[in-house]
């Protein structure tokens, strides 16, 4: 999981349960997802949740970058764990 804070609000985002195939690239995917969601106008809590989805999806791939990583696929993964 991830603890997040912007100085005014904070929270904890639990990890998305997925079978781990390879951890290489998961941290990079998390940061890329955070930047993507933030630039798209998401609040920090929403951006962190999306970023965790990016990282979780990446953990399931043998490669350092999940070949199917997209906003839609991350959304489907997150919807499946709600």
């Amino acid at each position: 999981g991830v603890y997040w804070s912007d100085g005014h609000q904070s929270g904890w985002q639990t990890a998305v349960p997925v079978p781990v195939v390879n951890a290489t690239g998961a941290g990079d995917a998390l940061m890329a997802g955070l930047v993507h969601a933030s630039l798209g106008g998401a609040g920090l809590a929403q951006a962190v949740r999306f970023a965790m989805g990016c990282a979780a999806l990446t953990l399931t791939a043998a490669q350092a970058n999940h070949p199917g990583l997209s906003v839609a696929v991350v959304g489907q993964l997150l919807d499946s764990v709600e």
Side-chain angles (χ1 to χ4, degrees), residues 8-70:
H8 302 287
Q9 56 181 330
S10 62
W12 174 260
Q13 178 63 53
T14 59
V16 178
V18 294
V20 176
V21 174
N22 183 4
T24 302
D28 293 333
L30 184 133
M31 290 306 299
L34 185 64
V35 170
H36 174 82
S38 294
L39 290 176
L44 184 56
Q46 292 173 310
V48 169
R49 184 171 183 272
F50 178 80
M52 289 295 285
C54 292
L57 190 61
T58 300
L59 288 170
T60 69
Q63 307 89 336
N65 297 304
H66 191 285
L69 182 64
S70 70

